[in-house]
Amino acid sequence: MSNSGDIGFDEIASPVKMGNRLWSRTRGDKVIWAAVLLLALVSVLVVYSSTGLLAYKMNKGNTEIYLFKQIVFIAIGLAVIYFSHLVNYTVYARVARILFLISIPLLIYTFFFGVRLNEGSRWIRLPIINLTFQTSDLAKLALFMYLGRLLSKKQDVIKDFRKGFLPVITPVVVICALIAPANLSTALLVGATSMLLLFIGRASAKHLLLTIGVAAVPVILLVTIALSYYDSSEGRSKELPGVLSVGRLPTWIKRVQNFVYSNKEIDKDENYQVNQAKIAISKGGMLGLGPGNSETRNFLPHPYSDFIYAIIIEEYGIIGGAFIILIYLIFLFRCIRIFRKCPYAFGAFLALGLSFTLVIQALINMAVTVNLFPVTGVTLPLVSMGGSSFLFTCLAIGIILSVARNVEQLEGKEPVPEVKA
């Protein structure tokens, strides 16, 4: 730098050089990296658009505060992906059981002492930093890490019910049972993804069908109750007896009723969220209203999280919505490619399990928005406004990229030691 205080070329070029060095150390599937960056860019645009009114009301006219928060979350999330992808994925096999065992008491603590909202307790508040996080996010991640570890160890006996299937299905039942009272949709998502992973992991179809049959009993019972306690002539739910008014049960019954009878004219107020989402989609048409031009964001509840896909379609049209689906499908395809190329069972199951849960969650979120599925409350991964769920999603992607990085090393004839799970 010159004595006059002018900034020299080296100072200007140093951030570029640092970025180049950082990129040169970045490994893993470049298509997955591109998908993550595209979804992060979409997230910045849509979160900023959908939080304008909320920011104005909550922060005395400062409409950029949530934009800055989202940018900070994305920056932290990308750092989480980067550093977690540098870790050899076999390390995650060592910590999988520990994380799984930690998640069980955390879920129990959350159920009794967590932050309560709408009769459900899903979050715990961290001391000192005063930040809440959803313990089911940690439990999901820990479960699929542990499930990948178990499947890799039990391949020789996986067809045997007592020696193979029972040890593998038990952690799934435990986690789903602990998540379900406060978050039934997440429990069903985890259960369905686990069944799919077990099927690919060569578990007996007979054992899987038996498990699905047992799990379907309470779901069928819930739907039956919801249909029985609906007055079609009045267009509203009947008064529930005391035994059906415990915890989140009335909410689940109401959501099933709203979904089944969503086309009834009298149900407009009861199904307000879905109806506003339909309005947003109809306004978007094929090409959309343009970035930042959403009109429904001021009426649609939670347009920055649960129903952010409706805002995407309203502003970017059906083409924009289809583009988002395409990104998730490309992400899944590349993860399946990692699964097929990984020579070690743990890495293969780990990449597949984590990718399944992210993509299935995305598809369910979008299905809710277009009224193909009852309202669930699950977010759109990497797109909805940041929180603990966003960071755990980034950690899951970092672990997938860790597997991809080691696959690349093997393809480059660089031996990577496999640690016994």
Side-chain angles (χ1 to χ4, degrees):
M1 186 170 66
S2 65
N3 293 332
S4 64
D6 294 334
I7 299 177
F9 177 76
D10 289 341
E11 282 77 5
I12 296 175
S14 58
V16 177
K17 291 179 180 178
M18 184 180 297
N20 289 336
R21 286 197 299 269
L22 194 65
W23 180 251
S24 67
R25 292 189 61 193
T26 301
R27 298 290 184 267
D29 193 305
K30 293 297 191 292
V31 177
I32 292 179
W33 276 107
V36 169
L37 293 175
L38 279 173
L39 290 174
L41 176 61
V42 171
S43 177
V44 170
L45 295 174
V46 185
V47 167
Y48 180 50
S49 174
S50 59
T51 55
L53 182 62
L54 175 68
Y56 187 84
K57 288 181 177 180
M58 301 296 292
N59 299 282
K60 299 179 180 179
N62 184 2
T63 57
E64 284 78 29
I65 186 167
Y66 290 110
L67 170 65
F68 295 143
K69 285 184 177 180
Q70 186 66 7
I71 291 173
V72 169
F73 266 108
I74 289 174
I76 296 173
L78 291 176
V80 169
I81 294 174
Y82 179 77
F83 288 109
S84 58
H85 106 288
L86 294 178
V87 178
N88 191 303
Y89 74 88
T90 56
V91 173
Y92 297 113
R94 302 189 188 104
V95 302
R97 186 176 184 180
I98 298 172
L99 286 178
F100 174 75
L101 294 176
I102 289 174
S103 65
I104 293 175
L106 276 178
L107 288 171
I108 295 173
Y109 176 85
T110 304
F111 178 76
F112 289 104
F113 306 107
V115 178
R116 301 192 68 83
L117 180 65
N118 296 332
E119 299 300 326
S121 181
R122 304 182 185 180
W123 300 267
I124 59 174
R125 191 176 300 279
L126 301 177
I128 302 176
I129 60 175
N130 198 33
L131 180 70
T132 59
F133 87 97
Q134 200 163 319
T135 49
S136 60
D137 292 326
L138 172 62
K140 282 192 300 181
L141 181 63
L143 174 63
F144 288 112
M145 290 170 61
Y146 189 50
L147 203 55
R149 180 179 187 267
L150 288 175
L151 279 173
S152 65
K153 291 179 63 177
K154 300 289 184 180
Q155 281 301 292
D156 293 338
V157 293
I158 193 64
K159 299 292 185 182
D160 185 275
F161 182 79
R162 186 177 63 84
K163 295 180 180 179
F165 186 75
L166 196 58
V168 171
I169 197 63
T170 300
V172 178
V173 173
V174 170
I175 293 298
C176 290
L178 291 175
I179 292 176
N183 197 343
L184 180 61
S185 56
T186 298
L188 294 175
L189 169 65
V190 171
T193 307
S194 300
M195 292 298 101
L196 184 57
L197 185 59
L198 290 179
F199 176 75
I200 295 173
R202 298 175 54 250
S204 171
K206 178 176 63 176
H207 299 156
L208 290 174
L209 289 174
L210 177 63
T211 305
I212 293 171
V214 173
V217 171
V219 176
I220 294 173
L221 185 60
L222 174 64
V223 174
T224 303
I225 293 172
L227 298 181
S228 301
Y229 281 88
Y230 186 82
D231 190 338
S232 56
S233 61
E234 295 289 334
R236 59 181 178 84
S237 177
K238 298 178 183 177
E239 184 177 352
L240 298 173
V243 70
L244 297 180
S245 302
V246 179
R248 296 270 297 169
L249 194 54
T251 302
W252 301 338
I253 292 173
K254 178 72 70 176
R255 286 180 175 178
V256 172
Q257 291 171 340
N258 289 343
F259 175 72
V260 173
Y261 300 101
S262 60
N263 293 323
K264 299 280 187 180
E265 284 293 323
I266 200 168
D267 286 328
K268 285 185 177 180
D269 291 336
E270 292 287 343
N271 223 22
Y272 181 79
Q273 278 184 303
V274 173
N275 289 333
Q276 289 299 321
K278 289 178 181 178
I279 292 172
I281 293 170
S282 65
K283 286 183 176 180
M286 188 61 67
L287 299 177
L289 302 178
N293 292 328
S294 169
E295 299 171 357
T296 317
R297 62 191 172 190
N298 298 329
F299 307 98
L300 177 63
H302 306 292
Y304 43 83
S305 56
D306 301 353
F307 282 85
I308 198 167
Y309 189 62
I311 305 300
I312 291 174
I313 296 179
E314 184 180 13
E315 294 190 349
Y316 300 93
I318 294 175
I319 293 177
F323 178 70
I324 296 298
I325 296 176
L326 180 63
I327 294 176
Y328 283 114
L329 293 180
I330 290 173
F331 172 83
L332 179 61
F333 172 78
R334 300 299 292 189
C335 291
I336 292 174
R337 180 175 175 270
I338 295 170
F339 165 78
R340 295 180 63 183
K341 284 180 171 265
C342 186
Y344 303 116
F346 172 69
F349 290 133
L350 183 63
L352 202 61
L354 294 178
S355 63
F356 275 162
T357 187
L358 294 179
V359 174
I360 292 175
Q361 178 179 331
L363 294 176
I364 288 178
N365 175 278
M366 292 183 278
V368 168
T369 301
V370 298
N371 200 30
L372 293 177
F373 204 81
V375 175
T376 60
V378 298
T379 56
L380 191 59
L382 289 179
V383 177
S384 294
M385 190 163 69
S388 62
S389 178
F390 185 92
L391 298 181
F392 277 109
T393 297
C394 290
L395 179 56
I397 293 172
I399 294 172
I400 293 170
L401 288 170
S402 172
V403 179
R405 181 176 69 88
N406 282 271
V407 169
E408 285 183 351
Q409 288 179 329
L410 286 171
E411 290 179 340
K413 308 305 180 184
E414 298 178 26
V416 180
E418 170 73 356
V419 177
K420 294 293 185 181

